[in-house]
Amino acid sequence: MQSSLSLRQMSIPKGLGYLTIMAPRNLLYMRSNFLFGSRCWMIRFSAEVLFKSVSFRLFSMKCDNADSEPLESAELLNNLLTMGVDVDMAKKRQPGVFNRRGTNEQNLKTFLLSKGASKEVIASIISRYPRAMTRTPESLSYRWDLWRRIVTSDLEIVAILERSPESFFRSSNNLNLEKNIEFLYSVGLTHKCLCRLLTSAPRTFSNSLELNKQMVEFLREVCLSLGHNDPTGFVRKIIFKNPFILIQSTKRVKTNIEFLQSAFNLNNEQLLVLIHGPGAKILDLSNDCMRRNYTNIKERLFSLGCTTEEIRKFVLSCPDVIFLGEKKFSDKIDCLIEEKISISQIIENPRILDSSISTLKSRIKELVNAGYNLSTSNISLLSWSQKRYNAKLKKLNTGQNVVLGN
């Protein structure tokens, strides 16, 4: 027996972008042909059925249709342009925000204006971190109150948001923020330290409370294992010197501490002084980066005739040099040597490597023009603050003019 089936309707739900049809089930024999067009489906379907009873089931096929993509809200775009937001920048940074069904840009604007932010600052915040528009007024108010437990005024918070909008808007988990603030205060951190964490390492407050507790407990254990009897002060000093340490794993920090002790042959007392002093800043480096950069420093200084002890003294007096990659370190050394500064002078004044190459070159030129002999004089002024350096340069130029006048 033969029986023919006809499909009465084919529907494409507009919002879903799916083609849904009825298909025969339990068929012994079927012939089907599909013809595809660029804009529509043309289907010719025939079937030979050897049984009278036929059951059906639904199946669906995804249609690649541009019309199924979420459309940007014209109202949102108009609001942002009216507010002075750089829409192109915002789209580039967080494009997904523009496909959301609801945003709160007007509420955000009203809220920040009430806290003392200018329209220009609000536009800048949204341009750089458009996800801020997704926060509800209730969430904003609650989070602001939590921040006021750390920051003394609304205008100070506004200034922080202007510099780093991510620090405030990155997370919407206010309960987790509240728990972390309470915990970090409990371990002895000051307003100043927590404020630094908010602006420098906001992920600290997005961490689960348990992760922050693990790092603090680990640092306490390190302190006690090295024979120090003030673990609270130890933890406070390390976090203050390196606000990024709480967003790293205990495994990374442990491996770096072990590397520093073995590489420089430090006893417990020396290691303690290093890691909660000048070495605290490098504890969050990746283990591979620390080893690689230290190896590059040794090889470069060995090639210039330095001894193992001189290299050890050089790095321990300024552990920040381990941040420098091979090329940057070599370029700075070459820049100084080209200006007749000896490697022994560099070893004695490692801080000069903190300055950029352009700063080193411009200062060397200015000092030479002022009659300063870098080969025989103190070179530490190459790393001085700009204010202190300018005062010294002015004094040198004045002295030279007096000599020339005579």
Side-chain angles (χ1 to χ4, degrees):
M1 178 186 294
Q2 291 187 353
S3 174
S4 62
L5 297 175
S6 63
L7 295 179
R8 293 182 299 171
Q9 186 175 5
M10 177 175 65
S11 64
I12 304 177
K14 183 177 180 181
L16 299 178
Y18 280 89
L19 171 67
T20 304
I21 66 176
M22 298 294 293
R25 184 181 178 189
N26 298 329
L27 300 181
L28 183 63
Y29 177 70
M30 178 192 293
R31 272 197 325 269
S32 61
N33 293 301
F34 293 87
L35 300 176
F36 302 87
S38 60
R39 287 181 170 269
C40 64
W41 294 76
M42 296 179 61
I43 302 176
R44 184 172 70 241
F45 181 84
S46 65
E48 291 182 46
V49 184
L50 301 183
F51 297 97
K52 290 184 178 180
S53 61
V54 178
S55 62
F56 296 89
R57 64 173 176 171
L58 288 170
F59 75 89
S60 62
M61 184 179 298
K62 184 72 179 288
C63 296
D64 291 328
N65 191 326
D67 292 337
S68 68
E69 295 297 322
L71 296 176
E72 294 174 349
S73 167
E75 181 183 3
L76 170 61
L77 294 177
N78 183 62
N79 286 342
L80 295 183
L81 291 172
T82 302
M83 293 165 64
V85 172
D86 186 334
V87 175
D88 289 337
M89 177 190 292
K91 285 183 178 180
K92 184 176 180 181
R93 295 198 172 198
Q94 292 170 347
V97 172
F98 291 84
N99 294 328
R100 293 176 65 99
R101 289 187 178 273
T103 54
N104 299 303
E105 65 277 3
Q106 296 290 12
N107 289 329
L108 175 64
K109 176 184 176 181
T110 301
F111 179 82
L112 291 178
L113 283 172
S114 73
K115 300 301 182 181
S118 67
K119 293 180 181 180
E120 292 74 19
V121 167
I122 295 170
S124 174
I125 288 172
I126 298 176
S127 298
R128 291 178 290 144
Y129 203 80
R131 197 178 299 162
M133 298 185 295
T134 66
R135 306 299 180 235
T136 65
E138 296 77 17
S139 177
L140 287 173
S141 181
Y142 185 18
R143 198 168 191 83
W144 197 276
D145 291 342
L146 291 175
W147 271 50
R148 281 300 303 270
R149 297 184 187 181
I150 301 170
V151 184
T152 56
S153 72
D154 288 342
L155 289 179
E156 194 174 349
I157 297 179
V158 169
I160 293 172
L161 298 193
E162 185 176 5
R163 295 195 305 270
S164 174
E166 180 188 10
S167 60
F168 187 87
F169 296 107
R170 185 176 190 274
S171 172
S172 60
N173 190 338
N174 291 328
L175 181 60
N176 188 63
L177 170 62
E178 185 172 17
K179 289 179 179 179
N180 275 317
I181 290 174
E182 291 173 353
F183 170 68
L184 292 172
Y185 269 135
S186 74
V187 300
L189 298 187
T190 63
H191 275 72
K192 184 178 180 180
C193 188
L194 262 68
C195 189
R196 189 179 183 200
L197 285 174
L198 278 174
T199 55
S200 302
R203 278 182 52 200
T204 299
F205 298 92
S206 301
N207 280 351
S208 69
L209 179 62
E210 188 58 35
L211 279 177
N212 285 334
K213 283 184 174 180
Q214 285 177 12
M215 179 58 77
V216 168
E217 185 58 32
F218 166 73
L219 293 175
R220 283 174 170 163
E221 290 174 358
V222 169
C223 173
L224 295 173
S225 71
L226 296 178
H228 193 48
N229 59 5
D230 182 16
T232 299
F234 177 82
V235 170
R236 186 169 59 246
K237 282 184 179 180
I238 287 185
I239 295 176
F240 183 77
K241 289 179 178 293
N242 187 349
F244 302 100
I245 198 165
L246 287 170
I247 60 177
Q248 302 302 336
S249 67
T250 55
K251 180 180 178 181
R252 171 182 287 197
V253 178
K254 181 175 185 291
T255 303
N256 282 339
I257 291 174
E258 291 172 347
F259 171 74
L260 290 172
Q261 184 164 31
S262 62
F264 297 102
N265 193 26
L266 304 173
N267 59 37
N268 286 352
E269 183 178 355
Q270 292 170 326
L271 180 62
L272 182 69
V273 171
L274 176 65
I275 63 176
H276 83 301
K281 293 181 181 179
I282 63 172
L283 292 180
D284 66 308
L285 270 176
S286 74
N287 309 138
D288 290 341
C289 181
M290 180 177 285
R291 292 174 183 274
R292 183 172 60 252
N293 289 352
Y294 177 58
T295 298
N296 292 334
I297 290 170
K298 285 197 303 180
E299 291 177 352
R300 185 72 174 96
L301 295 182
F302 275 141
S303 71
L304 294 170
C306 296
T307 65
T308 300
E309 184 56 32
E310 285 174 331
I311 296 172
R312 181 178 183 274
K313 177 184 175 182
F314 171 76
V315 177
L316 289 178
S317 62
C318 183
D320 288 4
V321 297
I322 294 181
F323 283 118
L324 299 176
E326 179 180 7
K327 185 178 187 308
K328 186 168 288 188
F329 180 77
S330 293
D331 287 348
K332 289 186 177 184
I333 293 293
D334 291 341
C335 169
L336 294 168
I337 291 176
E338 288 171 3
E339 298 297 335
K340 313 302 180 187
I341 296 173
S342 67
I343 190 61
S344 60
Q345 288 177 288
I346 298 172
I347 293 293
E348 292 296 325
N349 299 275
R351 287 289 173 193
I352 63 175
L353 297 179
D354 288 344
S355 301
S356 66
I357 292 179
S358 60
T359 298
L360 289 173
K361 287 183 176 181
S362 64
R363 288 191 174 185
I364 288 171
K365 183 178 180 180
E366 290 169 343
L367 291 169
V368 170
N369 290 338
Y372 193 80
N373 191 334
L374 289 165
S375 299
T376 58
S377 305
N378 181 16
I379 63 170
S380 64
L381 71 172
L382 293 175
S383 61
W384 286 359
S385 68
Q386 192 62 46
K387 182 178 179 180
R388 185 183 179 192
Y389 169 76
N390 287 340
K392 177 65 174 179
L393 184 62
K394 182 178 179 180
K395 186 177 180 180
L396 290 171
N397 285 326
T398 300
Q400 186 181 40
N401 290 335
V402 170
V403 172
L404 292 174
N406 291 337

